[in-house]
Amino acid sequence: MSKTIKKIGVLTSGGDSPGMNAAIRSVVRTCAYHNIECVGIYRGYQGMIEGDFKEMGPRSVNNIINKGGTVLKSARSKEFMTAEGRKKAYDNLSAAGVEALVVIGGDGSFTGAEIFNSEYGFPVMGIPGTIDNDIFGTSHTLGFDTALNTVVDCIDKIRDTASSHNRLFLVEVMGRDAGHIALNAGIGAGAEEILIPEENLGLERLLDSLKKSKASGKSSSIVVIAEGDKIGKNVFELKDYIEENLPEYDIRVSVLGHMQRGGSPSCFDRVLASRLGVKAVESIIEGKSNFMVGLLNDKVALTPLEQAIKGSSEIDKDLLRVSEIMTT
């Protein structure tokens, strides 16, 4: 067993996601439950370098479980990528008496935590927060479920106008390297086609599918596209290509963008954040370090940060098959 930890710092880093505030709340209150002081670090690693710290207690996290974004703010820090920047961060943490860190973020944030741990032996624990669900070692990242609900709600509204005007809508969702949002939301919203980076549908196959939809009597269609899909350079070029080859389609493009990151977190994300925050703090208390807490088979489990960073989250093959059947 390592020495008794008396003060833990918590920060959010990288892109924000719904559920981050719920995770902050969980970390702070778990610290209080175990009589450990908790320090909030503002603006991620940049705030660590600048000493932007604030003591946090149970009442300081009142009424944030339902809020999107992050009350601790987030930033990307180029200075933390340098040895000099990390030395400043370590000196500030030491001066404040912080003895361990809980980092809420994605693989870039975890990479910084792992390097910091290797250089200073500083205990770190990661909580996965990203709507893309693209981190190895957890079935769900914080914000993924909320983003799915946001996307499905948007597509439901788009379908109303698509049906009214007999239009084909190309709906682009987030997912530069992973198609989890597109695949799940596409199935949930009843999309006619789903395009993701992991599966190259091909332009000709897409055209054939749209022709069949038209021939079967569908007067309107929704195609959900992950932003990282390789079928075209971008969704607008794809629109032009379809119009050239299928002029009978009246096509509109809707890029959902950052609205997918916002909004009040779903109940699932609030509960998940609460579970992961408790596990992160209690794992530090037990002397563990350099792990990410995640959800595997509905159980909270630890994955070494190195594996979480280097591993890849696989697309669900069963869902791909379901998608193929549902678009018949």
Side-chain angles (χ1 to χ4, degrees), residues 216-239:
S216 70
K218 290 184 179 179
S219 59
S220 63
S221 293
I222 301 286
V223 177
V224 177
I225 306 167
E227 62 181 325
D229 179 69
K230 305 301 190 295
I231 198 170
K233 289 183 180 178
N234 60 58
V235 68
F236 296 100
E237 286 195 4
L238 181 59
K239 169 184 177 291

Side-chain angles (χ1 to χ4, degrees), residues 125-128 136-140 272 275-276 279-280 283 288 291-304 308:
M125 198 65 59
I127 295 178
F136 178 82
T138 185
S139 61
H140 291 75
L272 178 61
R275 294 174 71 185
L276 298 185
K279 183 67 172 179
S283 294
K288 296 183 175 70
F291 287 96
M292 179 195 79
V293 293
L295 192 66
L296 293 173
N297 299 316
D298 202 35
K299 301 291 183 185
V300 178
L302 298 180
T303 298

